[in-house]
Amino acid sequence: MNKVRVRFAPSPTGPLHMGGVRTALYNYLFARRHGGTMILRIEDTDSQRFVPGAEAYILESLRWCGIEIDEGVGVKGGGGPHAPYRQSERKDIYWNFAQQLVGMGAAYYAFDTAEELDRMRTEAEARGETFCYNAAVRKMLPDSEIERLKAEGRPWVIRFKMPENETVEMDDRIRGHVTVNTDTLDDKVLFKSSDGLPTYHLANIVDDHLMEITHVIRGEEWLPSLPLHFLLYRAFGWQRPEFAHLPLLLKPTGGGKLSKRDGDKMGFPVFPLSWEGGLGYREEGYFPEAFVNMLALLGWNPGTEQELFSMEELIAAFSLERVSKSGARFQPDKAKWFQAQYMHAKTECELASILQPILKEHGIVTTDELAGRAAFLMRERAVFPADLWDLTAYFFVAPTGYEEKQFTKYWKGDNPRILSELREVLAGIEDYSLTNLEATVHAWIESKGYGMGQVMNTLRLALVGAGKGPGMYDVVEFLGKDETLRRIDNLFHIL
Ligand code: GLU
């Protein structure tokens, strides 16, 4: 096999949908798996649909996900040996290829106006047919006539001359063998005089050829274009790349393609990063590793029970053979599950850097060690970084009030007296390590015959102010002697 060269070729028509990120990811995994090259090409020949900022968004999304580009837009030093990689900067290249196709009779000039095309469409629909611009409609004009119309300044297009009644036989790495009869296909426009630019089909084929792409891995929505692409390669006499069309991402309810509307309705993002005020996965608090892991398994499976994969593990396990043919249903809860797994697996040090900025926002200054310890104690109850504030705030701020329910339940009977006894026990302990605290307090409770639950919950009321938090010994160890005693005194004081 030639050295693998794959490309991600988005059109900058808006923010990258998570389906687009998955396409980029699979290309990247395939490239890395085979020691190949990952190329980023920007397909911006459709000036009508060009959206400013979309390219920067694409680059930032890929960077956030850890999808590295070896060659192309955004790569330092001009991008690589086939620069430029932005199609709008390659305008001059395509014209010669369009001319070549016309010269060999594989494409032709057409001068239909928009009104004529509309009329043909309406007439076909009136006959109950779907309009197809093909041999039945096309007019092959003599060169002299073409020259005359061009000289008159009439707008023209170059269309592909679709062969009649031919079965195109195609192989796709995911879909298998696909056949299509050309009579169902249009004479697609390849080049337009209106802007002097090729359409997607021509630019895409020419660039894939010139950039020596070996595998085209893209979304299923491009499968209908595959016969035309096959025929274009044949017309040029070029060797085709291999094709792999990825299954659609489906709505959580199953039927139909996942859309932004589904996300808005059900409250999950469909974009990696925020766009026009709508939050992306990043702003929702997802870790890029969790997002990437979740996406990788939407349409691909490793053939084992393993669900958690680092990028390195994905690279080692990925193969096109294990990409499914059928659509992959997106499940928002599963996305959260992945995020939770990554949160729970964070080290103290990683958690410190996640919690520190949140603490700062709340005006709390503490050491990385304490931030890490607090977050580590509570990580299993957190899904997103923002959850950590509620879960850890009481480690850093003494209660200023007491949760009603907890208070009425425990601040009664013998409990206040027992708490003041416990205060003395705690005041007498020198070694505030978890094991020593546990052993000493435990022994004291037993010797007194007090109820463990009552004592611990009253202590929790004093230290946390509410019925939450980890085990009380963890809290006491974390707070240390001074702060523990101060908080107990506070409870007596406030009352
Ligand atoms: N520009 C196309 C897109 O936006 C690329 C399709 C392809 O990969 O061939 O998806």
Side-chain angles (χ1 to χ4, degrees), residues 7-13 20 23 27 41-44 49 87 200 204-205 208 216-219 221-222 229 243 245:
R7 85 301 195 271
F8 178 50
S11 300
T13 54
T23 300
N27 272 284
R41 183 172 75 221
I42 296 290
E43 302 208 323
D44 55 352
R49 297 181 60 218
Q87 289 187 329
Y200 154 73
N204 184 272
I205 290 312
D208 281 349
V216 169
I217 303 169
R218 62 184 172 192
E221 63 274 27
W222 299 103
H229 295 180
F243 289 91
H245 287 85

Side-chain angles (χ1 to χ4, degrees), residues 34-48:
H34 296 283
T37 305
M38 168 77 175
I39 295 155
L40 176 67
R41 183 172 75 221
I42 296 290
E43 302 208 323
D44 55 352
T45 57
D46 188 348
S47 47
Q48 307 271 315

Side-chain angles (χ1 to χ4, degrees), residues 207-314:
D207 283 346
D208 281 349
H209 172 69
L210 295 178
M211 295 178 182
E212 302 172 85
I213 300 301
T214 57
H215 296 78
V216 169
I217 303 169
R218 62 184 172 192
E220 187 179 287
E221 63 274 27
W222 299 103
L223 196 56
S225 304
L226 189 58
L228 171 65
H229 295 180
F230 257 65
L231 292 168
L232 278 167
Y233 278 104
R234 186 175 76 183
F236 280 121
W238 293 339
Q239 194 190 340
R240 287 187 305 272
E242 287 196 48
F243 289 91
H245 287 85
L246 307 174
L248 288 178
L249 291 192
L250 302 177
K251 296 177 189 301
T253 47
K257 197 174 158 183
L258 180 70
S259 71
K260 173 155 183 333
R261 196 127 46 84
D262 300 317
D264 292 345
K265 231 174 26 206
M266 298 175 66
F268 61 83
V270 295
F271 301 133
L273 316 178
S274 68
W275 177 263
E276 288 177 350
L279 298 188
Y281 279 85
R282 181 176 66 182
E283 293 72 24
E284 286 277 347
Y286 279 84
F287 300 132
E289 316 86 85
F291 177 64
V292 162
N293 193 158
M294 180 272 294
L295 266 188
L297 284 145
L298 276 180
W300 169 84
N301 72 80
T304 64
E305 294 296 301
Q306 186 178 349
E307 289 192 279
L308 297 176
F309 288 86
S310 66
M311 191 67 104
E312 290 311 309
E313 290 170 321
L314 285 173

Side-chain angles (χ1 to χ4, degrees), residues 172-188:
D172 183 274
R173 288 284 290 266
I174 295 163
R175 319 292 305 192
H177 194 65
V178 186
T179 59
V180 173
N181 186 287
T182 51
D183 283 354
T184 62
L185 303 172
D186 278 300
D187 287 359
K188 278 271 183 286

Side-chain angles (χ1 to χ4, degrees), residues 50-362:
F50 179 81
V51 172
E55 180 186 304
Y57 182 96
I58 291 166
L59 287 170
E60 177 65 9
S61 301
L62 298 181
R63 202 195 52 75
W64 182 67
C65 291
I67 298 172
E68 300 156 338
I69 305 300
D70 304 314
E71 202 180 299
V73 173
V75 173
K76 285 200 192 79
H82 299 284
Y85 291 86
R86 216 176 264 113
Q87 289 187 329
S88 59
E89 293 166 17
R90 299 170 62 80
K91 278 183 194 167
D92 300 342
I93 295 173
Y94 308 114
W95 172 237
N96 285 334
F97 289 103
Q99 290 289 91
Q100 251 185 53
L101 288 173
V102 174
M104 60 177 79
Y108 63 97
Y109 280 92
F111 291 85
D112 311 274
T113 61
E115 294 74 35
E116 283 164 344
L117 288 170
D118 275 347
R119 202 183 55 238
M120 287 190 252
R121 187 170 299 111
T122 323
E123 283 171 6
E125 279 163 11
R127 291 193 301 272
E129 295 164 9
T130 322
F131 176 55
C132 194
Y133 195 115
N134 58 13
V137 177
R138 80 169 75 105
K139 294 187 277 293
M140 301 298 292
L141 302 173
D143 286 353
S144 55
E145 182 67 358
I146 292 169
E147 287 318 314
R148 191 182 65 75
L149 292 169
K150 277 174 119 180
E152 269 180 21
R154 288 268 300 270
W156 50 262
V157 295
I158 292 175
R159 284 181 183 270
F160 184 69
K161 191 173 166 202
M162 192 52 78
E164 283 176 62
N165 191 25
E166 186 188 324
T167 305
V168 189
E169 309 258 349
M170 297 160 286
D171 283 304
D172 183 274
R173 288 284 290 266
I174 295 163
R175 319 292 305 192
H177 194 65
V178 186
T179 59
V180 173
N181 186 287
T182 51
D183 283 354
T184 62
L185 303 172
D186 278 300
D187 287 359
K188 278 271 183 286
V189 172
L190 300 177
F191 204 96
K192 304 184 285 336
S193 67
S194 54
D195 53 10
L197 284 173
T199 59
Y200 154 73
H201 301 290
L202 181 67
N204 184 272
I205 290 312
V206 165
D207 283 346
D208 281 349
H209 172 69
L210 295 178
M211 295 178 182
E212 302 172 85
I213 300 301
T214 57
H215 296 78
V216 169
I217 303 169
R218 62 184 172 192
E220 187 179 287
E221 63 274 27
W222 299 103
L223 196 56
S225 304
L226 189 58
L228 171 65
H229 295 180
F230 257 65
L231 292 168
L232 278 167
Y233 278 104
R234 186 175 76 183
F236 280 121
W238 293 339
Q239 194 190 340
R240 287 187 305 272
E242 287 196 48
F243 289 91
H245 287 85
L246 307 174
L248 288 178
L249 291 192
L250 302 177
K251 296 177 189 301
T253 47
K257 197 174 158 183
L258 180 70
S259 71
K260 173 155 183 333
R261 196 127 46 84
D262 300 317
D264 292 345
K265 231 174 26 206
M266 298 175 66
F268 61 83
V270 295
F271 301 133
L273 316 178
S274 68
W275 177 263
E276 288 177 350
L279 298 188
Y281 279 85
R282 181 176 66 182
E283 293 72 24
E284 286 277 347
Y286 279 84
F287 300 132
E289 316 86 85
F291 177 64
V292 162
N293 193 158
M294 180 272 294
L295 266 188
L297 284 145
L298 276 180
W300 169 84
N301 72 80
T304 64
E305 294 296 301
Q306 186 178 349
E307 289 192 279
L308 297 176
F309 288 86
S310 66
M311 191 67 104
E312 290 311 309
E313 290 170 321
L314 285 173
I315 290 168
F318 186 78
S319 76
L320 289 174
E321 283 61 45
R322 300 213 65 91
V323 174
S324 64
K325 278 199 190 70
S326 49
R329 174 133 61 104
F330 172 69
Q331 293 165 298
D333 287 348
K334 192 74 193 189
K336 279 199 184 132
W337 180 85
F338 276 106
Q339 167 63 19
Q341 304 314 304
Y342 279 83
M343 177 62 97
H344 303 168
K346 292 275 180 212
T347 62
E348 256 186 69
C349 189
E350 289 165 335
L351 287 163
S353 54
I354 294 168
L355 184 56
Q356 277 289 31
I358 300 174
L359 293 177
K360 239 171 237 133
E361 263 173 45
H362 288 87

